[in-house]
mmCIF file of all heavy atoms in Angstrom:
data_model
loop_
_atom_site.group_PDB
_atom_site.id
_atom_site.type_symbol
_atom_site.label_atom_id
_atom_site.label_comp_id
_atom_site.label_asym_id
_atom_site.label_seq_id
_atom_site.Cartn_x
_atom_site.Cartn_y
_atom_site.Cartn_z
ATOM 1 N N LYS M 112 6.481 -12.971 -1.608
ATOM 2 C CA LYS M 112 5.216 -12.491 -2.184
ATOM 3 C C LYS M 112 5.482 -11.335 -3.154
ATOM 4 O O LYS M 112 4.868 -11.265 -4.225
ATOM 5 C CB LYS M 112 4.267 -12.041 -1.068
ATOM 6 C CG LYS M 112 3.671 -13.208 -0.297
ATOM 7 C CD LYS M 112 2.838 -12.740 0.889
ATOM 8 C CE LYS M 112 2.219 -13.970 1.571
ATOM 9 N NZ LYS M 112 0.777 -13.917 1.653
ATOM 10 N N ALA M 113 6.378 -10.445 -2.766
ATOM 11 C CA ALA M 113 6.717 -9.330 -3.653
ATOM 12 C C ALA M 113 7.319 -9.867 -4.945
ATOM 13 O O ALA M 113 6.997 -9.393 -6.053
ATOM 14 C CB ALA M 113 7.687 -8.378 -2.956
ATOM 15 N N ARG M 114 8.165 -10.863 -4.822
ATOM 16 C CA ARG M 114 8.784 -11.465 -6.014
ATOM 17 C C ARG M 114 7.716 -12.100 -6.913
ATOM 18 O O ARG M 114 7.712 -11.915 -8.135
ATOM 19 C CB ARG M 114 9.841 -12.499 -5.572
ATOM 20 C CG ARG M 114 10.326 -13.451 -6.621
ATOM 21 C CD ARG M 114 10.890 -12.776 -7.851
ATOM 22 N NE ARG M 114 12.216 -12.218 -7.656
ATOM 23 C CZ ARG M 114 12.747 -11.264 -8.448
ATOM 24 N NH1 ARG M 114 12.048 -10.777 -9.467
ATOM 25 N NH2 ARG M 114 13.958 -10.808 -8.222
ATOM 26 N N ALA M 115 6.784 -12.819 -6.303
ATOM 27 C CA ALA M 115 5.723 -13.474 -7.094
ATOM 28 C C ALA M 115 4.873 -12.426 -7.805
ATOM 29 O O ALA M 115 4.489 -12.605 -8.966
ATOM 30 C CB ALA M 115 4.852 -14.331 -6.164
ATOM 31 N N ALA M 116 4.589 -11.330 -7.128
ATOM 32 C CA ALA M 116 3.796 -10.261 -7.746
ATOM 33 C C ALA M 116 4.536 -9.685 -8.953
ATOM 34 O O ALA M 116 3.968 -9.552 -10.044
ATOM 35 C CB ALA M 116 3.504 -9.163 -6.716
ATOM 36 N N LEU M 117 5.805 -9.362 -8.770
ATOM 37 C CA LEU M 117 6.581 -8.775 -9.867
ATOM 38 C C LEU M 117 6.674 -9.727 -11.050
ATOM 39 O O LEU M 117 6.555 -9.306 -12.206
ATOM 40 C CB LEU M 117 8.005 -8.442 -9.386
ATOM 41 C CG LEU M 117 8.185 -7.168 -8.571
ATOM 42 C CD1 LEU M 117 9.632 -7.046 -8.115
ATOM 43 C CD2 LEU M 117 7.777 -5.929 -9.379
ATOM 44 N N THR M 118 6.881 -10.993 -10.768
ATOM 45 C CA THR M 118 7.021 -11.981 -11.840
ATOM 46 C C THR M 118 5.768 -12.024 -12.702
ATOM 47 O O THR M 118 5.833 -12.213 -13.919
ATOM 48 C CB THR M 118 7.311 -13.372 -11.231
ATOM 49 O OG1 THR M 118 8.520 -13.279 -10.494
ATOM 50 C CG2 THR M 118 7.449 -14.451 -12.297
ATOM 51 N N ALA M 119 4.609 -11.810 -12.067
ATOM 52 C CA ALA M 119 3.338 -11.855 -12.804
ATOM 53 C C ALA M 119 3.012 -10.522 -13.476
ATOM 54 O O ALA M 119 2.031 -10.424 -14.206
ATOM 55 C CB ALA M 119 2.212 -12.247 -11.851
ATOM 56 N N GLY M 120 3.820 -9.490 -13.196
ATOM 57 C CA GLY M 120 3.568 -8.194 -13.812
ATOM 58 C C GLY M 120 2.796 -7.227 -12.933
ATOM 59 O O GLY M 120 2.349 -6.177 -13.394
ATOM 60 N N LEU M 121 2.637 -7.575 -11.654
ATOM 61 C CA LEU M 121 1.977 -6.668 -10.708
ATOM 62 C C LEU M 121 3.024 -5.795 -10.020
ATOM 63 O O LEU M 121 4.182 -6.189 -9.905
ATOM 64 C CB LEU M 121 1.264 -7.476 -9.611
ATOM 65 C CG LEU M 121 0.150 -8.407 -10.038
ATOM 66 C CD1 LEU M 121 -0.216 -9.331 -8.883
ATOM 67 C CD2 LEU M 121 -1.068 -7.604 -10.485
ATOM 68 N N THR M 122 2.587 -4.646 -9.529
ATOM 69 C CA THR M 122 3.448 -3.817 -8.688
ATOM 70 C C THR M 122 3.117 -4.102 -7.228
ATOM 71 O O THR M 122 2.006 -3.800 -6.778
ATOM 72 C CB THR M 122 3.227 -2.318 -8.973
ATOM 73 O OG1 THR M 122 3.561 -2.059 -10.328
ATOM 74 C CG2 THR M 122 4.084 -1.454 -8.054
ATOM 75 N N PRO M 123 4.057 -4.703 -6.486
ATOM 76 C CA PRO M 123 3.787 -4.900 -5.060
ATOM 77 C C PRO M 123 3.903 -3.582 -4.305
ATOM 78 O O PRO M 123 4.812 -2.788 -4.561
ATOM 79 C CB PRO M 123 4.875 -5.884 -4.610
ATOM 80 C CG PRO M 123 5.931 -5.845 -5.651
ATOM 81 C CD PRO M 123 5.357 -5.266 -6.902
#
Side-chain angles (χ1 to χ4, degrees):
K112 286 175 177 237
R114 165 56 76 200
L117 281 177
T118 300
L121 298 168
T122 299

